[in-house]
Amino acid sequence: MTQARQHHIQVVAHRGASEDAPEHTLAAYMRAIEDGADALECDVRLTSDGHLVCVHDRRVNRTSNGRGAVSALELADLATLDFGTWKGREDATEVPDRTDPALTAVLTLERLLELVADSGRRIELAIETKHPTRWAGRVEERLVALLDRFGLAAPSSAGESTVRIMSFSARSLHRIAAAAPTVPTVYLMQFASPWLRDGRLPAGARIAGPGIRLVRNQPGLVDRLHRAGHQVHVWTVNEPEDVELCARLGVDAIITNRPRQVLSQLGRG
């Protein structure tokens, strides 16, 4: 793929290597690191007792053997649940090792940050805040505090940040930009708003995050965003033809459930 080799495209593991292991589990993120992903993507929600956990849905019903809204449960409640068995019931290529319950237990953002810190190589994090939520404002407050504790709320000595915050909510990104102005922010989008015609993003957003369907339908959007000075990170890119399209358009990051396959297609496997 000659086009792909003309520029570096960051490969971001969506909810970890979530095609091969249950999403948002330690197993999925360990697999993504082994596969060579440049960055890890996760969603965060706030428990009723104030812990940030990596769970996509508002409720735990789909991805665990429990029921209920994350915001109404304490971390101790979530810790009793299995977040991995469901994957074996579907089309998983691998079923996680059940001998280590920690691999498929609820994953806190704090534990994921520890995993990245202990990885021995540079791995970036793309953290998505989920909305709407009953904890509006508190999610961003707790998130910035946790990043600050890990030394990630400010750029490194080289002036580069290894973490970025993503959201479909412009208000959430505005809160992040106000609390941690050096942390890059990604505005996620499914549809083309009128102001996108000239590549503008909402105040507080520094990177564009269009979905692959939007990129397919409006490939010229990538160039408009680049001309406006924005990086373009596309989600969720799993099919080879979509990887090829993103490479041809010169996107800056591909967010995928299949980091190993995408890296291979880009000539980095």
Side-chain angles (χ1 to χ4, degrees):
M1 179 183 288
T2 57
Q3 290 286 342
R5 295 193 180 100
Q6 291 177 6
H7 71 287
H8 178 79
I9 300 175
Q10 187 181 69
V11 176
V12 185
H14 183 244
R15 309 179 196 175
S18 55
E19 180 168 273
D20 295 332
E23 65 183 64
H24 286 129
T25 61
L26 200 57
Y29 289 108
M30 290 173 66
R31 177 61 182 268
I33 292 172
E34 291 170 4
D35 287 347
D38 301 306
L40 308 176
E41 186 271 352
C42 69
D43 305 292
V44 292
R45 291 186 178 275
L46 197 65
T47 65
S48 64
D49 54 341
H51 294 274
L52 287 166
V53 291
C54 301
V55 179
H56 176 272
D57 300 356
R58 187 178 72 86
R59 301 177 65 85
V60 300
N61 303 32
R62 177 179 66 88
T63 57
S64 81
N65 60 347
R67 301 183 65 81
V70 175
S71 61
L73 298 169
E74 294 187 355
L75 181 59
D77 300 321
L78 293 170
T80 67
L81 303 180
D82 178 358
F83 281 80
T85 303
W86 68 273
K87 184 69 172 176
R89 295 197 300 265
E90 296 192 352
D91 57 348
T93 57
E94 292 183 10
V95 176
D97 181 4
R98 307 294 184 213
T99 61
D100 186 355
L103 292 178
T104 54
V106 66
L107 181 65
T108 63
L109 180 60
E110 181 176 8
R111 180 67 185 94
L112 181 57
L113 291 172
E114 290 171 348
L115 177 69
V116 171
D118 294 339
S119 67
R121 67 176 177 90
R122 179 188 171 93
I123 300 174
E124 297 189 11
L125 270 173
I127 303 170
E128 181 183 343
T129 62
K130 304 303 293 183
H131 294 274
T133 173
R134 67 189 295 183
W135 303 126
R138 285 185 59 193
V139 171
E140 292 82 8
E141 179 184 333
R142 293 297 177 92
L143 177 53
V144 171
L146 184 59
L147 294 179
D148 188 57
R149 182 150 64 84
F150 277 79
L152 298 173
S156 67
S157 57
E160 299 178 344
S161 177
T162 57
V163 65
R164 55 187 177 268
I165 308 303
M166 311 192 299
S167 185
F168 287 97
S169 168
R171 181 174 295 181
S172 177
L173 297 182
H174 183 74
R175 292 189 188 111
I176 293 294
T182 62
V183 174
T185 49
V186 184
Y187 182 60
L188 299 172
M189 59 193 82
Q190 289 180 298
F191 310 103
S193 301
W195 41 262
L196 270 177
R197 291 178 187 144
D198 58 1
R200 286 183 296 129
L201 295 178
R206 295 164 52 185
I207 299 169
I212 185 59
R213 183 177 298 178
L214 178 56
V215 171
R216 283 194 219 112
N217 293 338
Q218 298 191 33
L221 175 64
V222 173
D223 183 58
R224 290 199 300 275
L225 290 164
H226 277 156
R227 283 190 279 108
H230 305 301
Q231 288 189 22
V232 180
H233 298 188
V234 184
W235 56 274
T236 302
V237 185
N238 292 324
E239 301 306 322
E241 57 270 25
D242 288 332
V243 175
E244 180 70 44
L245 173 64
C246 287
R248 190 166 64 250
L249 295 176
V251 308
D252 302 282
I254 287 175
I255 303 172
T256 178
N257 299 339
R258 306 169 175 174
R260 180 176 54 181
Q261 292 91 323
V262 171
L263 285 164
S264 178
Q265 188 174 348
L266 295 177
R268 296 174 54 201

